[in-house]
Amino acid sequence: MSWLDSLRTRMSAARERAATGPPVRPRGWAHRHRLLLIAIVVVVLGAALVSISPWESCGPGLRAVDADEDSIGTSYVCVGLNLDSGPMREDDPLDPLEKLIKGRNEMAGENFKTIVVLENLAPDPKVDSQPFPFVRREIQGAITAAWPKNGPPGIKLLLANYGSNAEHWQVVAEEIVAAAATQRIVAVTDIGISTESSRALVAELSRHGIATIGATVTADNMNTDPKGVRIDNFFRVGPTNTDEARAAAGYIAAHGFKRVMMIQGVSKEDTYATTLAEAFQSSSKVPVIFTKTYDVKPLSDTSREAYLRGLFSRWHNDICGARPDLIYFAGRGLDLGALVAALAGDGACEGLDTVTVMTGDDASTLAGKPLQLNKDISVRLRYTALAYPDQWDMFTADPAHPTYKKNYDNFVAEFTGTHGFPKAELWDGAAMIEHDAVAAAVEAAVQNVSSDPVSVPDVLRSIDCNSPVPGATGFVAFDQATGNQLDKALPILSIDPDGSVHPVDLVWSRGRPLNTNADCGR
């Protein structure tokens, strides 16, 4: 047999074996490198889990941003518009209220209208002056106004978070504008604190025709954009800093103070402090003999309060030398706590045994906390407040008293009875003032025949001295030219060393209760 015949015979035998035997498959790459493949899969899945958490913990309308876990107990917070009323951080302390809101929203039906409550919902004590309990009480007030026992149907509430110092205001603005039509947003209420960022947010929403109703923002320039142009769609139920400074100046003059010193926060971002100082200087009937200023930047190694406690201690000798009988403090409440601690606890002053410290409404964040006021120097603490639960007990001589008192009593019945919130939560006025902001928005929702958000500002402008909204803090009526509250009642309160708050006086932003004449008493 030739070599060619032999080759043909072997090939034929191989074909027969292939036809009758099992197929022979080569070992694939995955089989030959299965351990490497398993390692790759583990790494990829782990990376996927890291990328999913916390991002997918934030629901629709929200985005996750890093947080200081050492300060607030969470590695992230959600910023934006909380469309699903879900948790906005790990172990969210607002969870019970968010669940309540979610349940009520699900009952709103198809013909609903939405009111947004905008705040810093996870304040960081290293950066922010406003404590979390104050925020919680604001939301309780909003819930009370949105869903009274016999209130109108179809009202929804959504929470919005712009983060510390309103840092993520652009995210919030984008989400609110995107949802305005589908959610039928009537107004964005609260607005948090007066800063350049919150002011820019209000201006951006107004540019899209969306109304905002400030509750606790008191800076006079909140109704103008950063270029100084009037924001057409901004309203507020609280006082302006000019209102507060005028009330303080009247109190100072009436009680015979002669040597007034001012301590002023000068951060360009914090318009509350800067405009409060300007308003006091222009309103004061007593010359300011001495001024000290401070500016706080976010610190990596200590809290804002601890830093200022040290700074104010350095000023102790200067203050002793000036011997003021009153210090007007144009700054945040948290900062005020550091000041009074330094005044009272850093040694006696010859010729200065007692000093009165007076300030604006942000001092309410100190209420309920023990303060060392009676040590080396005795400090009497006074502030002009946005609201106080017993404020109408100081107003009994006026014929309008029964009406104001009745409106407040109705609010308390809804707050404690309908919703079961503790009456003790009313002591700092946060729930009262936010209730009134949402009450004005509910009135606009009810009276407006359109569901288009751009139609709302005209309806809000019609809430004037002739058609005011009854509120817990008084009647709500907006000035047509400025959007500011007309004739706001301002309680002057004291804070005792145990943190308890007591009424001292009740004044009005224009010297009298709301005038319901056609010209509003101008």
Side-chain angles (χ1 to χ4, degrees):
M1 180 183 293
S2 68
W3 68 269
L4 183 58
D5 291 335
S6 175
L7 177 61
R8 287 171 178 166
T9 299
R10 288 196 300 272
M11 291 178 65
S12 176
R15 283 195 295 270
E16 288 178 4
R17 287 195 303 271
T20 58
V24 178
R25 294 188 178 95
R27 296 174 65 193
W29 185 92
H31 184 75
R32 287 180 284 117
H33 302 281
R34 60 184 180 276
L35 294 179
L36 177 60
L37 181 61
I38 290 171
I40 291 172
V41 169
V42 169
V43 170
V44 171
L45 287 175
L49 288 173
V50 169
S51 65
I52 289 171
S53 179
W55 298 99
E56 289 202 357
S57 296
C58 296
L62 297 170
R63 307 175 200 179
V65 297
D66 290 336
D68 188 337
E69 191 164 8
D70 292 336
S71 293
I72 62 176
T74 181
S75 60
Y76 74 95
V77 296
C78 303
V79 297
L81 179 63
N82 195 353
L83 293 170
D84 197 36
S85 299
M88 302 182 71
R89 49 170 284 189
E90 298 165 311
D91 298 322
D92 191 348
L94 288 175
D95 184 63
L97 294 179
E98 287 159 349
K99 287 178 178 175
L100 190 159
I101 290 170
K102 185 178 180 66
R104 294 304 297 256
N105 285 348
E106 289 173 349
M107 299 166 57
E110 296 182 357
N111 297 319
F112 65 87
K113 292 182 180 179
T114 299
I115 297 164
V116 176
V117 179
L118 170 65
E119 250 291 7
N120 174 14
L121 299 176
D124 182 346
K126 283 188 177 179
V127 179
D128 303 309
S129 63
Q130 193 158 271
F132 171 76
F134 187 90
V135 175
R136 183 188 68 240
R137 289 188 279 271
E138 287 179 306
I139 297 171
Q140 291 172 341
I143 289 170
T144 303
W147 298 304
K149 184 176 181 180
N150 297 313
I155 298 296
K156 292 176 64 174
L157 274 184
L158 292 177
L159 302 184
N161 181 28
Y162 58 20
S164 294
N165 281 330
E167 179 181 357
H168 302 285
W169 70 266
Q170 290 171 307
V171 174
V172 175
E174 290 172 9
E175 295 295 344
I176 290 175
V177 170
T182 56
Q183 292 296 322
R184 302 171 190 165
I185 292 176
V186 175
V188 178
T189 68
D190 196 348
I191 317 302
I193 62 174
S194 302
T195 65
E196 286 300 300
S197 294
S198 59
R199 189 177 168 204
L201 171 58
V202 166
E204 179 64 11
L205 294 178
S206 180
R207 191 172 70 83
H208 291 275
I210 299 171
T212 53
I213 307 175
T216 58
V217 282
T218 59
D220 286 76
N221 62 3
M222 277 298 300
N223 59 358
T224 60
D225 69 15
K227 295 181 180 179
V229 178
R230 165 82 167 96
I231 300 173
D232 292 329
N233 301 323
F234 174 76
F235 305 83
R236 74 173 115 202
V237 299
T240 64
N241 279 345
T242 293
D243 294 332
E244 294 195 36
R246 188 185 299 122
Y251 176 86
I252 290 168
H255 287 78
F257 293 100
K258 302 297 184 184
R259 296 182 60 80
V260 177
M261 173 185 175
M262 185 165 71
I263 295 178
Q264 173 190 354
V266 294
S267 169
K268 292 180 180 179
E269 172 63 21
D270 190 357
T271 55
Y272 166 81
T274 54
T275 62
L276 187 63
E278 292 167 2
F280 180 74
Q281 287 173 318
S282 63
S283 300
S284 181
K285 301 172 184 177
V286 180
V288 175
I289 61 169
F290 187 34
T291 298
K292 283 267 192 191
T293 63
Y294 70 94
D295 185 3
V296 184
K297 301 292 191 299
L299 304 170
S300 60
D301 59 346
T302 189
S303 69
R304 176 185 180 117
E305 187 174 14
Y307 166 74
L308 286 176
R309 177 66 174 82
L311 178 66
F312 294 149
S313 291
R314 292 180 57 84
W315 295 0
H316 191 76
N317 289 339
D318 294 337
I319 295 172
C320 289
R323 298 193 309 278
D325 54 8
L326 184 137
I327 298 173
Y328 190 78
F329 185 77
R332 292 289 172 184
L334 182 68
D335 307 347
L336 176 62
L339 173 67
V340 298
L343 279 174
D346 285 350
C349 289
E350 183 177 351
L352 186 63
D353 299 325
T354 301
V355 64
T356 297
V357 178
M358 192 160 195
T359 188
D361 65 275
D362 206 61
S364 63
T365 59
L366 289 181
K369 302 176 182 177
L371 298 169
Q372 295 182 347
L373 302 179
N374 294 325
K375 295 182 69 179
D376 302 319
I377 297 175
S378 178
V379 179
R380 291 192 296 255
L381 192 53
R382 305 282 188 270
Y383 70 99
T384 46
L386 299 176
Y388 181 68
D390 295 327
Q391 67 186 51
W392 303 119
D393 293 341
M394 297 181 284
F395 182 53
T396 55
D398 195 281
H401 169 261
T403 303
Y404 284 89
K405 184 70 164 60
K406 178 182 177 182
N407 293 339
Y408 170 72
D409 289 343
N410 290 340
F411 157 74
V412 173
E414 297 288 355
F415 187 85
T416 61
T418 302
H419 294 288
F421 298 134
K423 188 176 180 181
E425 292 281 70
L426 298 177
W427 57 265
D428 62 0
M432 295 170 63
I433 197 72
E434 177 58 17
H435 167 275
D436 288 3
V438 174
V442 170
E443 178 71 8
V446 171
Q447 297 298 329
N448 194 2
V449 297
S450 172
S451 295
D452 193 322
V454 300
S455 68
V456 175
D458 276 342
V459 182
L460 285 171
R461 274 184 278 273
S462 70
I463 300 175
D464 57 15
C465 61
N466 306 128
S467 303
V469 173
T473 67
F475 280 103
V476 175
F478 300 120
D479 183 274
Q480 298 292 295
T482 64
N484 291 333
Q485 163 79 301
L486 285 171
D487 301 315
K488 178 73 178 70
L490 290 163
I492 295 178
L493 308 179
S494 69
I495 305 179
D496 287 352
D498 63 358
S500 60
V501 177
H502 304 283
V504 174
D505 202 355
L506 181 73
V507 297
W508 298 82
S509 60
R510 295 199 296 176
R512 46 136 172 90
L514 180 68
N515 189 313
T516 56
N517 291 334
D519 64 351
C520 300
R522 286 189 177 87

